[in-house]
Amino acid sequence: MSPIILANKASLELMNVHVSVLSTISVLPGKLGDQIRNRTNKYMSLWEERLMQLMSLAPKRGDQATPLISYYLKNKNDDGVKRICSFFENVRIYHGFCDLALGAIYIKEKNFDQGIYLIKRANQNGVLDSKDVDKDTAKYLKNIIIKYD
């Protein structure tokens, strides 16, 4: 699969499957999950590049970015989150999970106003009401928004 993708000759379906497989590998639990991620590290390290290729072919598949953003957050790769979210901003695709992720990063970096602004924007765009956000987390974030509004 990789030589076809590297040569930019992959179909949209192949790119989508490739990114989906990496997403699945990223969340495999336990020791087996760690072993598989270690064995596929070559591909995991190319995940961001593959995602960008997919987005250039199918910009409406922005949902494919959420697992990578989550993976980066879990592994404390704030720069990776910023790169992906910057890409979406540059191609003018709204990705609500970027607002939440960047909001958290900015608050951690003591840029509170920008962080709250992004979390508010995510809420205004319905992100906190989506099935993809844990209900308790959404409630907590909404209370923070109310408190600092």
Side-chain angles (χ1 to χ4, degrees):
M1 174 168 21
S2 191
I4 294 170
I5 294 172
L6 287 173
N8 289 322
K9 294 183 179 179
S11 67
L12 175 60
E13 292 80 13
L14 181 59
M15 291 296 298
N16 193 46
V17 167
H18 188 79
V19 170
S20 293
V21 167
L22 294 173
S23 298
T24 301
I25 290 170
S26 77
V27 295
L28 291 173
K31 189 175 180 178
L32 179 60
D34 291 338
Q35 289 172 345
I36 292 172
R37 278 186 292 281
N38 287 335
R39 288 184 186 153
T40 60
N41 192 39
K42 171 183 169 185
Y43 298 104
M44 295 300 288
S45 66
L46 294 173
W47 187 2
E48 185 176 329
E49 184 179 331
R50 299 300 169 249
L51 176 67
M52 300 307 173
Q53 287 176 321
L54 177 62
M55 293 300 96
S56 69
L57 294 170
K60 292 187 178 184
R61 289 308 321 260
D63 61 303
Q64 288 282 21
T66 303
L68 181 56
I69 295 168
S70 296
Y71 181 77
Y72 280 165
L73 286 171
K74 180 181 175 194
N75 291 289
K76 298 176 176 43
N77 183 348
D78 294 352
D79 290 338
V81 173
K82 289 176 180 180
R83 275 192 311 274
I84 292 169
C85 294
S86 177
F87 170 82
F88 279 104
E89 187 176 320
N90 289 339
V91 296
R92 299 191 189 324
I93 298 173
Y94 178 73
H95 196 292
F97 199 60
C98 277
D99 279 352
L100 293 179
L102 288 173
I105 290 168
Y106 290 143
I107 289 171
K108 181 173 74 175
E109 293 174 347
K110 300 187 182 355
N111 188 347
F112 189 79
D113 290 340
Q114 183 64 19
I116 289 294
Y117 166 79
L118 290 171
I119 293 170
K120 281 183 185 178
R121 185 168 75 176
N123 187 47
Q124 290 166 347
N125 284 299
V127 176
L128 295 179
D129 295 320
S130 77
K131 64 177 177 49
D132 298 322
V133 177
D134 173 74
K135 290 182 193 249
D136 290 335
T137 302
K139 183 178 177 181
Y140 175 76
L141 291 173
K142 287 178 179 183
N143 285 332
I144 289 175
I145 291 168
I146 291 167
K147 185 177 179 180
Y148 292 100
D149 205 10

